[in-house]
């Protein structure tokens, strides 16, 4: 029987909680996603601050990934620390005539449970068609699309590289990490970035994580994650937007980076923003601005001339 350490269990619990918050936003018509409830059943209503935060986060990642696939003749999309992410299935359903490979990687305990959910879901089994499960790995192929889900520790860069050998490293590749790297020590993140930029000659990297740990809200945020058993071990090494940008500049020629407070305005469609602001009344604008000033999204590209996506609308 496979043993899981306490950190892995807490990360899995956080993943389920995040999915429940996402489902609450979906039920209140912030965005559409018919697949999330295949992984987590039932949820209580979350606060409007949570709803808007998830709307903005989902909106940005959906737009970037969707645009990237639509503009490429053939590409890879790799989700690091994927959790119960549903973007692969949304893209699989949306771009039926596009050729792409979608790869998801997370801790073995998370992937074990995700595979179990996939096996139990008639909707997802119908969408993916025939698939193969071997130990901690699921692979599906349908016409010109491939889907690969496997369990791996992102700190083990050599093993991650070995597990990716079935994909084409030479084609354009978008790698994204959504609320993942802050849980990893900075030296391991640096090894991961170094590996990715060496393996993929045409690489775009999209990242969402917490930062700004030193002010009052930041200190509280760090304590909360420690209390929940998911310490933000990578946050102190890169506490500011500038520090994150300088890190990425070591490997990438083009870097965009903003906090979520800014991205709410510049990375979302104004008409769609007006629509969601009418869904629920929000009086806590000061709290919203403080909270969103502690999360960032960065977008980096090895070759600026090949840039086909950006954060600004």
């Amino acid at each position: 029987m496979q043993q899981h350490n306490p950190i892995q269990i807490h990360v899995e619990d956080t993943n389920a909680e995040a999915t429940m918050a996402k489902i609450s936003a979906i039920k209140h018509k912030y965005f559409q996603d018919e697949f999330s409830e295949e992984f987590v059943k039932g949820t209580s209503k979350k606060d409007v601050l949570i709803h808007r935060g998830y709307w903005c986060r989902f909106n940005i990642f959906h737009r970037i990934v969707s645009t990237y696939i639509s503009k490429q003749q053939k590409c890879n999309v790799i989700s690091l620390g994927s959790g119960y992410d549903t973007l692969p299935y949304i893209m699989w359903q949306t771009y039926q005539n596009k050729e792409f490979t979608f790869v998801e990687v997370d801790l073995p305990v998370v992937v074990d449970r995700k595979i179990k959910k996939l096996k139990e879901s008639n909707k997802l089994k119908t969408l993916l068609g025939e698939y193969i499960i071997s130990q901690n790995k699921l692979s599906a192929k349908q016409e010109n699309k491939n889907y690969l889900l496997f369990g791996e520790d992102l700190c083990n860069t050599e093993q991650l590289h070995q597990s990716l050998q079935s994909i084409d490293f030479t084609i354009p590749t978008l790698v994204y990490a959504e609320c993942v790297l802050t849980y990893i020590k900075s030296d391991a993140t640096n090894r991961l970035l170094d590996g990715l930029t060496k393996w993929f000659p045409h690489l775009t990297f999209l990242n969402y994580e917490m930062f700004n740990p030193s002010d009052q809200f930041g200190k509280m945020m760090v304590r909360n994650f420690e209390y929940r058993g998911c310490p933000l071990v990578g946050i102190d090494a890169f506490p500011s937007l500038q520090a994150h940008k300088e890190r990425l500049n070591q490997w990438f020629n083009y870097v965009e980076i903003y906090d979520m407070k800014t991205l709410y305005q510049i990375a979302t469609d104004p008409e769609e923003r007006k629509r969601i602001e009418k869904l629920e009344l929000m009086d806590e604008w000061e709290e919203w601005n403080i909270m969103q000033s502690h999360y960032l999204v960065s977008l980096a590209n090895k070759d600026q001339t090949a840039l086909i996506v950006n954060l600004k609308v």
Side-chain angles (χ1 to χ4, degrees):
M1 181 177 177
Q2 188 176 7
Q3 298 296 313
H4 303 306
N5 68 46
I7 294 296
Q8 289 179 325
I9 298 299
H10 287 306
V11 168
E12 163 61 13
D13 290 342
T14 302
N15 168 53
E17 289 174 13
T19 305
M20 286 190 285
K22 182 179 176 183
I23 291 170
S24 180
I26 293 166
K27 287 186 174 180
H28 287 82
K29 301 181 180 180
Y30 280 80
F31 51 87
Q32 294 182 335
D33 175 1
E34 63 179 278
F35 302 110
S36 285
E37 285 196 285
E38 299 301 301
F39 297 99
V40 175
K41 301 294 185 184
T43 182
S44 58
K45 183 183 184 300
K46 305 302 180 183
D47 187 82
V48 61
L49 294 171
I50 302 299
H51 287 162
R52 288 203 187 178
Y54 266 91
W55 170 82
C56 190
R57 175 174 160 182
F58 176 86
N59 196 301
I60 292 168
F61 273 75
H62 180 277
R63 176 173 60 82
I64 295 293
V65 174
S66 180
T67 302
Y68 192 87
I69 292 174
S70 69
K71 290 189 175 182
Q72 301 285 7
Q73 184 175 356
K74 181 166 64 171
C75 68
N76 301 313
V77 179
I78 302 174
S79 172
L80 302 178
S82 57
Y84 291 160
D85 188 8
T86 56
L87 266 184
Y89 321 120
I90 294 172
M91 295 299 107
W92 192 282
Q93 187 179 62
T94 303
Y95 294 107
Q96 298 184 15
N97 297 319
K98 297 293 293 187
E99 185 173 357
F100 61 91
T101 295
F102 214 118
V103 181
E104 293 193 290
V105 187
D106 210 322
L107 291 169
V109 62
V110 178
V111 170
D112 282 343
R113 295 185 185 182
K114 189 163 190 176
I115 288 176
K116 183 175 183 292
K117 299 288 187 180
L118 284 165
K119 290 167 64 177
E120 293 171 349
S121 169
N122 290 328
K123 179 182 290 186
L124 288 168
K125 285 194 294 186
T126 300
L127 177 69
L128 295 177
E130 293 186 8
Y131 56 81
I132 299 171
I133 297 175
S134 176
Q135 294 180 329
N136 196 237
K137 177 179 177 181
L138 182 148
S139 58
K141 183 177 179 62
Q142 193 177 98
E143 296 180 3
N144 55 358
K145 287 181 285 297
N146 299 298
Y147 173 58
L148 182 63
L149 166 66
F150 62 87
E152 199 64 72
D153 187 340
L154 296 177
C155 296
N156 191 338
T157 310
E158 291 183 5
Q159 186 57 46
L160 175 63
H161 187 217
Q162 186 63 35
S163 296
L164 289 170
Q165 289 302 308
S166 63
I167 71 172
D168 185 351
F169 284 79
T170 66
I171 63 175
T173 300
L174 170 65
V175 176
Y176 70 89
E178 190 174 356
C179 209
V180 176
L181 299 185
T182 327
Y183 297 117
I184 300 174
K185 291 183 179 180
S186 58
D187 57 344
T189 298
N190 289 342
R191 288 196 304 271
L192 177 62
L193 291 171
D194 192 60
L196 290 170
T197 50
K198 286 177 179 177
W199 307 335
F200 298 102
H202 308 291
L203 176 67
T204 298
F205 181 69
L206 176 66
N207 179 41
Y208 169 93
E209 63 180 294
M210 307 80 152
F211 80 110
N212 195 9
S214 301
D215 64 10
Q216 184 177 355
F217 183 93
K219 290 175 181 177
M220 180 185 69
M221 176 177 69
V222 170
R223 286 196 302 269
N224 285 344
F225 279 97
E226 287 178 351
Y227 177 77
R228 296 168 68 185
C230 301
L232 305 180
V233 297
I235 197 168
D236 289 321
F238 302 97
S240 66
L241 292 178
Q242 184 61 32
H244 278 271
K245 185 172 185 180
E246 289 173 359
R247 175 175 69 175
L248 292 171
N249 279 333
Q250 296 177 59
W251 294 281
F252 297 95
N253 295 321
Y254 172 88
V255 177
E256 274 188 283
I257 184 165
Y258 301 96
D259 62 32
M260 290 296 286
K261 175 186 172 184
T262 303
L263 288 170
Y264 183 73
Q265 299 296 331
I266 70 169
T268 58
D269 178 74
E271 291 303 314
E272 179 65 4
R273 194 164 62 245
K274 287 179 184 177
R275 182 190 72 80
I276 67 104
E277 288 179 351
K278 294 177 181 177
L279 294 176
E280 295 179 283
L281 179 65
M282 187 174 79
D283 295 324
E284 309 94 331
W285 281 102
E286 183 178 0
E287 185 179 352
W288 163 263
N289 287 331
I290 292 172
M291 182 174 70
Q292 296 300 89
S293 296
H294 289 77
Y295 290 82
L296 64 83
V297 173
S298 57
L299 182 67
N301 191 283
K302 282 181 66 174
D303 181 4
Q304 188 172 353
T305 61
L307 190 69
I308 63 167
V309 290
N310 52 53
L311 290 177
K312 295 181 182 179
V313 170

